Amino acid sequence: MPSVLPLGDPAPADGVLPPQALAGVEQRKFGLYVHIPFCAVRCGYCDFNTYTAKELGGGASQDAYAATAVAEVDFAAAALDASNVPRRPLSTVFFGGGTPTLLPAEDLVRILHAAVGHWGLEPGAEVTTEANPDSVTRESLQLLADAGFTRVSFGMQSAVPHVLKVLDRTHTPSRVPQVVKWAREAGLAVSLDLIYGTPGESMDDWQVSLETALSYEPDHISAYALIVEEGTKLAAQIRRGEVPGIDDDDHAAKYELADQLISAAGLEWYEVSNWSRTPQQACRHNLAYWRGDDWWGIGPGAHSHVGGVRWWNVKHPTAYASRLASGTSPAAGRETLDADTREVERIMLEARLGTGLSVDALDKVGRHAMAGLIADQLVDPAAAFKGRLVLTLKGRLLADAVVRRILPD
């Protein structure tokens, strides 16, 4: 999640949702996102709401964080009950950050079990944690698997040392195959995150990273173009001329190479930046975002959504912990989307998916505009003939460049 929160309306102290959030609730799945805001080192490109200090005070230190997160889990259950939202089992749980595995595995398990105690899990539910390769052990991964985690997403980013150095990543490339092996031994599905377009990264560097990642035979790969955010260390380095800037044409060429090599290795593209070995191994939690399902976001700065109502928590861990300690919602603001806005977002988000968007979702103007998109080779004409709007590779490049700049993670 980005470090700058949006503007919005005041959020009620009791967290109760307006009646419109109940519309169609039985047709939507429910998930949980848990933000762990701690990192050992802040990467130079990162604009997320993360902190490197171990002791922040006021219930916000790393040692106290699990208890604080559990307090929000309890608050969420009470607020949803008071809003008359029926309890639904969790279809997905995702621990992100930051570096979730910077906390002891027992703490992550404690938070998960608190959530399951309130809502339960759907049969076959997906439970994921992100992890840095140097933040796990064989034992910690086994403990997570034994407690109900099903999936781990490792921040590999690159296999090239000089690229990792520019990104301020702390692991060595040789660590990645070791942790992948441990995760598989524990019975966890494995996803690898890659970043392309780092200043100084050549096309050969990127090919090495792709081929190395694929050699580990992951179940899932995410490949994201680097965006230089204002206020980051990397933005300052580029401004001072210490490292070269990034180039959109370079990004496009590297995306095309990623799609070529990942697809050739047997993984199927299913969302602009994501590929999975089978449809069942696609990240269901992220798909829930693209499809407009409901989720509650636990943690400082975390975003939530239920039935067209969105809200976001205060950013700083100390303020977050203080609110929960007083029994007050940690939400900093919220917004209730009108029908037109929800429809626009639905079109924008579902069009990113490999399954595409039903043409029936478009109004007359939108259907007419499809002819231009087909002529510009942005939309697959064969899919359009069958009633689906599916992006071509060229269309995916444009969607990635535009949508990632206007949506929060």
Side-chain angles (χ1 to χ4, degrees):
M1 65 194 57
S3 61
V4 178
L5 295 178
L7 298 175
D9 298 323
D14 59 7
V16 172
L17 302 177
Q20 51 263 54
L22 295 173
V25 67
E26 295 84 1
Q27 283 75 54
R28 298 190 303 272
K29 289 185 176 293
F30 179 54
L32 195 75
Y33 172 77
V34 183
H35 183 61
I36 309 297
F38 305 108
C39 286
V41 175
R42 186 170 182 83
C43 298
Y45 63 90
C46 180
D47 187 43
F48 287 3
N49 188 38
T50 60
Y51 302 82
T52 57
K54 181 175 173 61
E55 295 295 337
L56 293 174
S61 69
Q62 290 182 32
D63 291 342
Y65 188 74
T68 304
V70 167
E72 189 181 1
V73 169
D74 294 341
F75 180 91
L80 291 173
D81 286 348
S83 304
N84 296 315
V85 175
R87 290 204 177 192
R88 294 162 287 171
L90 295 163
S91 60
T92 64
V93 182
F94 195 101
F95 286 72
T99 307
T101 46
L102 198 60
L103 295 187
E106 293 84 354
D107 283 1
L108 303 185
V109 170
R110 179 182 176 187
I111 299 167
L112 174 63
H113 285 179
V116 173
H118 285 295
W119 297 292
L121 287 173
E122 280 189 357
E126 175 190 271
V127 182
T128 302
T129 185
E130 293 181 329
N132 285 348
D134 55 0
S135 67
V136 297
T137 64
R138 176 187 276 113
E139 293 74 21
S140 69
L141 290 169
Q142 188 64 61
L143 194 156
L144 293 174
D146 291 344
F149 283 77
T150 65
R151 187 173 178 275
V152 59
S153 180
F154 289 117
M156 176 178 171
Q157 316 310 5
S158 175
V160 179
H162 79 83
V163 175
L164 291 172
K165 183 177 180 180
V166 173
L167 293 173
D168 290 326
R169 302 298 290 183
T170 57
H171 69 273
T172 59
S174 62
R175 178 74 172 178
V176 178
Q178 183 179 50
V179 298
V180 169
K181 179 176 181 289
W182 291 343
R184 292 207 180 284
E185 290 173 349
L188 295 167
V190 173
S191 178
L192 297 177
D193 282 1
L194 299 173
I195 290 178
Y196 59 90
T198 299
E201 178 190 60
S202 67
M203 188 63 75
D204 286 344
D205 291 334
W206 176 230
Q207 183 164 343
V208 166
S209 292
L210 286 166
E211 291 176 343
T212 302
L214 290 168
S215 74
Y216 306 144
E217 300 184 343
D219 305 299
H220 183 281
I221 285 184
S222 299
Y224 301 108
L226 179 68
I227 294 179
V228 179
E229 303 286 359
E230 286 299 319
T232 61
K233 173 185 172 183
L234 183 58
Q237 289 174 315
I238 291 174
R239 187 170 59 250
R240 294 192 297 262
E242 296 172 2
V243 296
I246 60 173
D247 177 78
D248 287 342
D249 289 338
D250 176 67
H251 277 181
K254 287 175 177 171
Y255 183 92
E256 290 175 339
L257 180 63
D259 188 61
Q260 173 190 334
L261 294 183
I262 297 172
S263 298
L267 284 81
E268 182 178 359
W269 168 73
Y270 73 90
E271 190 276 332
V272 166
S273 301
N274 293 279
W275 293 257
S276 63
R277 198 161 295 281
T278 68
Q280 294 73 32
Q281 290 166 315
C283 180
R284 282 178 273 153
H285 188 82
N286 283 340
L287 284 172
Y289 293 157
W290 303 125
R291 291 172 176 161
D293 285 336
D294 294 343
W295 73 91
W296 191 292
I298 301 293
H303 288 60
S304 303
H305 169 266
V306 175
V309 181
R310 281 201 296 246
W311 66 96
W312 44 92
N313 287 346
V314 293
K315 280 177 49 179
H316 199 278
T318 301
Y320 167 76
S322 176
R323 293 235 190 152
L324 287 165
S326 67
T328 301
S329 168
R334 81 177 186 189
E335 61 182 345
T336 301
L337 307 180
D338 59 32
D340 288 344
T341 302
R342 294 186 72 181
E343 190 62 19
V344 168
E345 290 194 359
R346 176 192 170 195
I347 292 168
M348 182 173 63
L349 296 177
E350 288 189 19
R352 292 176 61 95
L353 301 177
T355 52
L357 171 76
S358 172
V359 173
D360 292 340
L362 303 175
D363 60 17
K364 183 177 180 180
V365 173
R367 289 193 294 272
H368 179 74
M370 276 191 63
L373 296 174
I374 292 171
D376 290 337
Q377 300 181 333
L378 299 176
V379 170
D380 182 347
F385 179 75
K386 297 176 182 178
R388 305 295 296 180
L389 188 157
V390 177
L391 297 176
T392 61
L393 180 60
K394 181 179 178 182
R396 285 151 56 187
L397 286 167
L398 181 62
D400 195 40
V402 172
V403 176
R404 287 186 302 105
R405 284 169 168 78
I406 61 176
L407 287 179
D409 280 357

